[in-house]
Amino acid sequence: MGKGALGLLSAYWPEMTARHAHVPLERAPQFTVHRSARSDPDRAALVIPGRSVTFAELSDLVRRAGAGIAERVGDGGRVAVLVDDPVAQAACAFGAWEADRLAFVASGPVPFEALTDFAPDLVIARALAHAPPDVPVVTAHKLLATEPVTFGKANLRAPVLALANADATGEVAHNHKTLVATAVAFSSFFMFEPGAEVVLLEPPTGWLGLAVVLAAWHTATTIRAAWTPDWAGHPDRVDYLAGSFAAADARYAGATPALRDVRAGVGAILGIEGPFSPARRRRLARRLGTPVLTLYGRNDLGPVLGSHPTWYLDDAVGIPLPNVDTRPLDPDGGAELTIGWDAVEEGEIGVKSALAPAGGELSGTWLRSRLIGQVDPTGLYFVR
């Protein structure tokens, strides 16, 4: 950002939210699940219909999964986690990170081409048919029966999570540093606190669900899984509802307040990957009975811009999350500019972020969003 824009933005930055926050050098599971297991062992980490798993139980499952994966996959190996059960999926994904192996995580049917392109050394799934030829398959049940171990020093820069690129060609990869940075920034920005509850509408297999889970489990916040077919709602008030704007709009736009299956007290964090309709945002907020807090991001960018719970406008996407910087790029071709937002009417939003995975499209040193935006004098971002 230009110095002028930064000066204006700093005057309006929400209180108690760091603009740039320290990112500890730890494994992602250690910074999230294991830390909360020490501070709040009996608090529910994940609630699914008919079952609740505490942080202590989840921490044990992650260590077991990590040990089982390390036994079967060598250093630098790739693991495909094709498990629909939310508890087993989370344990196996975090277990792969615990063992410093690269994980590809999916819910539901996975195109065979996507799986072969990832080229896993191990597939965690229920059926042998999920695996490419000559690739070993193990069930989550068997993996989670392994005796837990504690791993030594981590390679914090090694890739541990692969996500599909925004254009569906190739992959981008998170390491421990980007995952921990996401947990720090997201939890600080949305003010997650121990004992809070979040209803999540989609599995943590993309940028939005991933960010919500990392932030929640870093702060001993409970996740209620609402993406399962047997989700029947939750009668008590929770702090946040989270999911994509499109999914929430399809699910709740026609609902009456009496038919809502969840009540969120602080707001609904709804992810967008492009321009949105302020009118539909206001309508959805009325239907949900809570503020709609838009969050712009993508798999190749991570979370970028969000509506802060204490400061937002319905027609603005929000402001940068902590540890995220932006710069205007040439709107005609994405070339890097030498001026900041204070000197242009609009431009393509270029992103430089501690939260972003490796592998995104670059213009100089800035990630390209291919999204045209402008910044008003208070630092709020508007997109088209």
Side-chain angles (χ1 to χ4, degrees):
M1 299 178 66
K3 292 181 179 179
L6 276 174
L8 289 167
L9 182 57
S10 64
Y12 292 86
W13 191 254
E15 295 182 7
M16 306 302 293
T17 301
R19 180 67 190 91
H20 290 93
H22 171 67
V23 179
L25 300 178
E26 297 182 33
R27 276 191 176 95
Q30 180 65 39
F31 188 69
T32 55
V33 173
H34 301 324
R35 173 176 292 196
S36 292
R38 291 194 303 271
S39 63
D40 297 84
D42 298 326
R43 191 182 303 283
L46 181 60
V47 179
I48 62 177
R51 185 183 179 191
S52 175
V53 179
T54 67
F55 279 104
E57 292 168 336
L58 182 59
S59 176
D60 179 68
L61 290 174
V62 169
R63 294 188 193 280
R64 289 177 181 275
I69 290 169
E71 286 180 1
R72 294 167 171 83
V73 181
D75 292 344
R78 292 174 163 240
V79 181
V81 181
L82 311 182
V83 180
D84 290 335
D85 176 72
V87 174
Q89 183 189 84
C92 293
F94 277 67
W97 307 347
E98 182 98 338
D100 295 335
R101 271 51 168 187
L102 181 64
F104 168 78
V105 187
S107 293
V110 178
F112 189 75
E113 295 78 9
L115 192 56
T116 54
D117 287 346
F118 177 67
D121 301 298
L122 176 70
V123 172
I124 305 171
R126 293 180 60 185
L128 294 175
H130 283 117
D134 302 321
V135 175
V137 178
V138 63
T139 64
H141 178 77
K142 184 174 182 179
L143 196 71
L144 297 177
T146 309
E147 284 300 310
V149 299
T150 299
F151 288 87
K153 186 177 180 180
N155 180 356
L156 299 179
R157 295 185 180 276
V160 293
L161 176 65
L163 299 176
N165 210 337
D167 59 2
T169 60
E171 62 188 31
V172 294
H174 279 282
N175 56 34
H176 289 291
K177 294 185 68 174
T178 58
L179 293 175
V180 170
T182 300
V184 169
F186 200 97
S187 60
S188 170
F189 190 85
F190 289 108
M191 303 185 295
F192 283 13
E193 295 179 347
E197 292 193 1
V198 179
V199 169
L200 183 57
L201 298 179
E202 57 192 57
T205 54
W207 69 271
L208 176 59
L210 174 69
V212 173
V213 166
L214 288 169
W217 289 348
H218 163 55
T219 54
T221 290
T222 299
I223 294 289
R224 291 187 174 272
W227 66 84
T228 60
D230 47 356
W231 163 260
H234 181 59
D236 299 322
R237 184 178 293 272
V238 298
D239 295 277
Y240 282 108
L241 172 73
S244 71
F245 191 101
D249 194 31
R251 187 167 184 162
Y252 297 112
T256 63
L259 295 178
R260 289 198 304 263
D261 60 5
V262 64
R263 294 180 298 157
V266 181
I269 304 170
L270 301 187
I272 60 171
E273 298 189 357
F276 65 96
S277 165
R280 295 196 72 83
R281 175 181 184 172
R282 287 188 285 268
R283 179 184 178 189
L284 194 53
R286 290 194 299 270
R287 296 292 187 183
L288 290 170
T290 194
V292 168
L293 306 173
T294 47
L295 177 69
Y296 169 69
R298 279 194 331 230
N299 277 358
D300 59 328
L301 302 174
V304 178
L305 306 169
S307 295
H308 193 271
T310 67
W311 183 47
Y312 64 91
L313 292 175
D314 284 341
D315 53 347
V317 64
I319 56 178
L321 269 65
N323 295 338
V324 175
D325 291 307
T326 74
R327 189 177 188 87
L329 305 178
D330 186 339
D332 292 328
E336 189 172 359
L337 301 177
T338 58
I339 54 178
W341 288 109
D342 49 315
V344 299
E345 283 193 14
E346 64 177 23
E348 180 183 330
I349 299 174
V351 179
K352 189 175 291 186
S353 169
L355 290 60
E361 181 186 5
L362 290 172
S363 175
T365 58
W366 297 84
L367 287 165
R368 292 196 63 183
S369 69
R370 297 186 176 271
L371 181 67
I372 303 300
Q374 55 184 219
V375 184
D376 77 0
T378 69
L380 285 168
Y381 283 64
F382 299 77
V383 298
R384 66 169 182 85

